[in-house]
Amino acid sequence: MDDVSKVYGEGATKVHALTEIDLSVDAGALVAVMGASGSGKSTLLTIAGSLEEPTSGKVLVGGSRLSRLSRNERARLRRRSIGFVFQDYNLLAGLSAVENVALPLELDGVPAKRAQSAAMTTLEELGLADRAAHFPDELSGGERQRVSIARAVVGERHLLLADEPSGALDSANGEAVMRLILAACHRGVAAIVVTHDAQLASWADRVVFLRDGRVVDQTMPPSRPESLLMPAPNQ
Amino acid sequence: MSVRHALLALLSEGPKYGLQLREEFEGRTGEVWPLNVGQVYTTLQRLERDGLVESDESNDDGPQKGFRITAEGEEELADWLRTPPDLSAPPRDELVIKILVALHLPGVDVHEVVQVHRRYMVELMQQWTRLKEDEGHLDLGFALVVDAELFRLDSVIRWLDAADGRIKRATVEPLRPVAPTRPMPSVKRRSGVRR
């Protein structure tokens, strides 16, 4: 994102949702965006995922400038390269876990059989092979979110965008979700996680702080964790 | 951190030597709290003085001297496990004091001060989280200590977030217009009533 701003409404009802955002995420990196509700976190994510257009500024995904792509090209980019994870999972209730995961591939024209087999491989990698035939309402909250992560990383996705991915999950499931996102990054996926939860954000390589639509701060690259285990001087 | 009770706990598993106690203490706490050998022996001497442990009869005061827990020691350990730590009085938290001071200092943006501390806490949490990244080799005791530290830092950040929001609301609200003092509306209403 290069100098991205987003304004909603006009005149007296004008809201500056995002102002002059510069943010880049390398392949293989996990960036967390922290901020209070209303700070612009979700808007940032929908613009990064080409679900919404910025009022000004440039957005590039894998080198393609979104505003230069046609509507169809953008839709294809979303299907092929970008995976979304939402707080409330957004799985289709009438489809089994493996069908949910195969869906983005099938929508992209991959033959059903091949899509299902790719979906199955992804579910296996995420330790969900035995849940593949279950419908969302037969899965626990943690399992549903893992299925939605499988759907977000299936195929050749390069960018993973997650909005409060641990939502209402307990800390063990929240940790499991972050481990999966991190594993995707280790395979070369670039990920952005927006959250107000510091425990989730602390899995990231870099944490960016958003306030009133502006980036106000970010963490330095983490120093060696071993330094934590040195005795404090006053003990 | 009660070294005294940690040593009693280790001895409740069976008699041990001083050096062995130090190694096991560090191992169980994930080596987060290093202990020097002098501290181990001073503590053992006090425990022995209080009748909570006994040592071998030998005159050897060196590393080969063995210790075992007494019945009183077992009782003391059971009591300690179930005695809640004293959290009743709020501690004089340095961070809280800094924010309170920043609130009233002219020329200081309290939100900026909050953010400096928030970022530092998140950076610390990133380091702790990195320690548990390699799940396969995670020692249970160590994982529990790391989680405790993450929850503690998380609660500090949550307080900072809440403080940030509360200060923002408090500085916005006084700007709202107070009850109108101009007589015009009430005059109009009165004339309406008369009619």
Side-chain angles (χ1 to χ4, degrees):
Chain A
M1 288 188 158
D2 184 6
D3 201 22
V4 164
S5 297
K6 178 72 181 175
V7 181
Y8 293 108
E10 277 178 10
T13 59
K14 206 167 174 180
V15 176
H16 293 267
L18 292 177
T19 307
E20 294 158 12
I21 303 286
D22 290 316
L23 177 68
S24 69
V25 186
D26 293 334
L30 172 55
V31 170
V33 178
M34 282 189 85
S37 63
S39 60
K41 301 190 300 276
S42 297
T43 305
L44 185 146
L45 211 60
T46 54
I47 289 175
S50 91
L51 295 170
E52 227 180 335
E53 284 177 32
T55 309
S56 62
K58 285 185 279 191
V59 184
L60 291 101
V61 176
S64 309
R65 190 166 160 187
L66 294 184
S67 61
R68 298 229 171 110
L69 301 178
S70 70
R71 226 180 145 82
N72 283 340
E73 286 171 325
R74 277 210 299 273
R76 194 180 314 128
L77 181 83
R78 275 199 299 272
R79 284 197 307 268
R80 286 198 185 157
S81 299
I82 307 177
F84 293 92
V85 177
F86 302 96
Q87 181 172 359
D88 45 7
Y89 327 130
N90 282 8
L91 297 175
L92 295 178
L95 299 182
S96 68
V98 69
E99 288 165 345
N100 263 291
V101 177
L103 190 62
L105 297 178
E106 289 188 47
L107 288 175
D108 198 34
V110 176
K113 224 170 167 179
R114 249 179 61 204
Q116 295 259 336
S117 121
M120 199 58 213
T121 309
T122 307
L123 284 175
E124 277 163 14
E125 284 166 3
L126 271 52
L128 286 162
D130 57 331
R131 315 305 275 165
H134 288 68
F135 289 89
D137 64 357
E138 299 167 332
L139 301 171
S140 70
E143 287 169 340
R144 277 181 225 176
Q145 192 58 304
R146 277 150 66 201
V147 170
S148 82
I149 290 171
R151 183 185 54 187
V153 299
V154 73
E156 299 287 312
R157 310 298 182 81
H158 307 301
L159 178 61
L160 180 62
L161 303 172
D163 193 352
E164 298 285 3
S166 83
L169 301 178
D170 61 24
S171 67
N173 275 303
E175 183 173 321
V177 162
M178 291 312 291
R179 283 185 188 282
L180 292 180
I181 293 175
L182 201 62
C185 292
H186 289 161
R187 291 194 303 272
V189 170
I192 304 179
V193 174
V194 308
T195 183
H196 70 283
D197 183 337
Q199 297 223 27
L200 288 198
S202 68
W203 287 90
D205 303 302
R206 182 156 53 103
V207 181
V208 171
F209 297 90
L210 214 57
R211 181 182 170 86
D212 299 332
R214 288 176 186 272
V215 171
V216 290
D217 202 3
Q218 60 177 314
T219 59
M220 297 292 121
S223 52
R224 284 157 51 83
E226 291 75 16
S227 62
L228 293 171
L229 305 183
M230 304 301 283
N234 58 350
Q235 276 178 2
Chain B
M1 174 67 215
S2 171
V3 174
R4 184 178 160 89
H5 292 97
L7 295 184
L8 278 179
L10 289 171
L11 287 171
S12 73
E13 299 166 350
K16 280 165 191 174
Y17 301 114
L19 270 182
Q20 189 186 356
L21 284 167
R22 181 181 111 168
E23 274 165 27
E24 290 186 11
F25 174 90
E26 293 190 347
R28 302 285 172 90
T29 54
E31 295 177 20
V32 175
W33 291 297
L35 199 58
N36 72 52
V37 84
Q39 210 176 345
V40 175
Y41 283 106
T42 338
T43 311
L44 284 169
Q45 277 166 12
R46 288 194 198 128
L47 286 168
E48 191 169 18
R49 178 199 66 199
D50 298 342
L52 303 176
V53 308
E54 295 169 338
S55 60
D56 291 343
E57 292 303 309
S58 75
N59 293 326
D60 181 12
D61 269 350
Q64 290 309 309
K65 187 166 177 167
F67 292 87
R68 66 190 155 271
I69 194 165
T70 62
E72 290 85 57
E74 298 272 12
E75 211 172 298
E76 166 72 21
L77 178 64
D79 280 350
W80 172 77
L81 272 183
R82 289 163 185 80
T83 307
D86 184 15
L87 300 176
S88 53
R92 214 170 283 161
D93 191 296
E94 192 183 333
L95 183 58
V96 177
I97 292 168
K98 286 182 179 177
I99 303 305
L100 291 178
V101 169
L103 198 54
H104 298 289
L105 275 188
V108 171
D109 176 3
V110 64
H111 298 293
E112 189 263 334
V113 175
V114 165
Q115 176 55 32
V116 167
H117 293 291
R118 182 191 284 121
R119 187 189 68 219
Y120 176 74
M121 298 291 159
V122 171
E123 285 173 345
L124 266 182
M125 287 181 74
Q126 283 178 293
Q127 293 186 54
W128 282 106
T129 300
R130 229 149 229 83
L131 289 171
K132 63 175 186 177
E133 217 168 82
D134 192 2
E135 201 176 18
H137 298 94
L138 206 53
D139 170 81
L140 178 60
F142 181 63
L144 292 173
V145 173
V146 171
D147 280 343
E149 205 47 35
L150 282 168
F151 277 101
R152 190 178 67 80
L153 293 167
D154 188 32
S155 78
V156 175
I157 293 170
R158 288 165 67 155
W159 176 75
L160 285 171
D161 290 345
D164 213 5
R166 193 180 286 279
I167 294 165
K168 195 177 169 186
R169 289 193 302 277
T171 44
V172 166
E173 271 158 16
L175 296 176
R176 281 185 191 161
V178 282
T181 46
R182 296 201 302 179
M184 280 302 280
S186 62
V187 169
K188 261 186 188 166
R189 209 178 298 138
R190 238 177 269 142
S191 64
V193 167
R194 246 179 247 150
R195 187 151 47 91

